[in-house]
């Protein structure tokens, strides 16, 4: 592990431990179905403590980013993985296209929505925006066996707004319309709902064309903010 990763994760451990809240930790773990132990830090406290740990440290290299992320993923408490997601997003200009391999490793390890979603929208999405050729990796993930990679592909354009590749988004959603897992159905609805902010007519047309294939959850989420069509 690099010196930067060793120092940073050591500082985080000390800073987080000072602010741990055992009572809140029990509730946080229960909210996440007891999949992970928690220190009991609220998001504002975690981020404030992270800023203290980061003070005076240099911007990481790509290799150091990977070391920090993997070191955080090796820790038991979920706040370390949540920090790593923030850290990667804040340094998204550093890594090159090959860093998607590291992102995939994080996505399929200790997987749950609280890490997968920021990795999708802010890390994978940020890398694809900066390195457009890597969109083919999203195409591969959209057909993957791992549902969290599929969810990432569907959500990676969540912050793109008018720059969204609508054909690709609709293609991913149509291909996975019949997926049985809640998290994929929810992602389809979420991604479509977000794109409806930019092009509501296109989303409405897609919903009409795919009405027999999309789950009720996906349709309901996608249409949540669409105004009804007047006769």
């Amino acid at each position: 592990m690099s010196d930067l990763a060793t120092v940073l994760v050591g500082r985080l451990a000390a800073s987080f431990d000072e602010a741990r809240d055992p009572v809140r930790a029990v509730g946080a773990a229960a909210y996440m179905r007891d999949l992970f132990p928690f220190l009991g830090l609220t998001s504002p406290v975690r981020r404030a403590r992270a800023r203290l740990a980061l003070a005076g440290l240099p911007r990481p290299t790509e290799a150091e980013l990977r070391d920090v992320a993997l070191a955080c993923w090796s820790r038991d408490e979920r706040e370390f993985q949540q920090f790593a997601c923030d850290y990667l997003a804040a340094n998204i200009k550093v890594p090159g296209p090959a860093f998607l391999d590291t992102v995939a490793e994080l996505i399929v390890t200790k997987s749950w929505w609280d890490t997968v979603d920021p990795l999708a929208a802010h890390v994978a999405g940020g890398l694809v925006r900066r390195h457009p050729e890597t969109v083919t990796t999203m195409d591969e993930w959209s057909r993957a066996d791992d549902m969290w990679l599929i969810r990432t592909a569907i959500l990676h354009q969540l912050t793109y707004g008018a720059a969204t590749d609508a054909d690709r988004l609709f293609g991913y959603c149509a291909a996975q319309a019949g997926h049985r897992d809640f998290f994929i159905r929810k992602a389809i609805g979420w991604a479509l709902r977000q794109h409806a902010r930019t092009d509501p007519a296109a989303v409405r047309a897609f919903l009409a064309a795919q009405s027999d294939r999309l789950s009720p959850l996906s349709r309901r989420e996608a249409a949540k903010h669409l105004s009804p069509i007047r006769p």
Side-chain angles (χ1 to χ4, degrees):
M1 187 163 61
S2 64
D3 290 344
L4 175 63
T6 300
V7 170
L8 176 52
V9 176
R11 287 186 183 181
L12 283 174
S15 186
F16 283 1
D17 189 64
E18 288 177 356
R20 68 163 59 231
D21 184 334
V23 174
R24 186 179 291 277
V26 172
Y31 180 66
M32 292 293 181
R33 301 185 184 180
D34 290 311
L35 292 172
F36 317 102
F38 280 78
L39 292 165
L41 310 185
T42 64
S43 293
V45 168
R46 171 171 54 81
R47 290 185 171 122
R49 289 282 167 167
R51 286 193 294 272
L52 291 175
L54 287 164
L57 294 180
R59 179 179 289 273
T61 64
E62 180 171 334
E64 289 168 337
L65 267 183
R66 175 177 167 82
D67 283 349
V68 170
L70 294 181
C72 286
W73 243 254
S74 72
R75 302 288 302 212
D76 291 334
E77 297 86 0
R78 194 59 167 172
E79 286 89 349
F80 287 93
Q81 288 102 61
Q82 293 169 342
F83 163 80
C85 293
D86 288 347
Y87 189 63
L88 293 177
N91 291 285
I92 196 61
K93 294 181 179 180
V94 173
F99 199 73
L100 275 175
D101 290 341
T102 296
V103 178
E105 185 175 349
L106 302 178
I107 288 167
V108 302
T109 308
K110 297 187 177 181
S111 309
W112 203 240
W113 61 265
D114 63 317
T115 55
V116 171
D117 292 357
L119 288 173
H122 303 299
V123 183
L127 284 168
V128 173
R129 190 191 285 267
R130 291 182 60 79
H131 307 284
E133 71 276 12
T134 60
V135 76
T136 57
T137 300
M138 296 299 103
D139 294 343
E140 294 171 5
W141 290 6
S142 74
R143 304 184 298 268
D145 292 331
D146 187 279
M147 73 172 186
W148 298 108
L149 290 175
I150 297 172
R151 183 174 169 98
T152 298
I154 292 170
L155 296 179
H156 86 275
Q157 298 189 84
L158 207 60
T159 66
Y160 283 23
T164 298
D165 182 337
D167 289 341
R168 193 166 248 110
L169 170 63
F170 293 148
Y172 292 173
C173 292
Q176 295 295 344
H179 201 288
R180 299 178 64 180
D181 192 88
F182 166 86
F183 286 103
I184 301 303
R185 294 180 174 190
K186 186 80 170 183
I188 289 170
W190 184 12
L192 292 173
R193 183 175 77 241
Q194 188 70 9
H195 187 54
R197 297 174 182 270
T198 299
D199 195 344
V203 172
R204 190 179 282 112
F206 178 79
L207 292 176
Q210 299 289 331
S211 61
D212 293 338
R213 300 184 62 243
L214 288 166
S215 71
L217 172 62
S218 296
R219 295 198 305 270
R220 184 170 62 251
E221 288 294 318
K224 187 170 287 186
H225 302 303
L226 285 174
S227 57
I229 299 175
R230 295 182 178 180

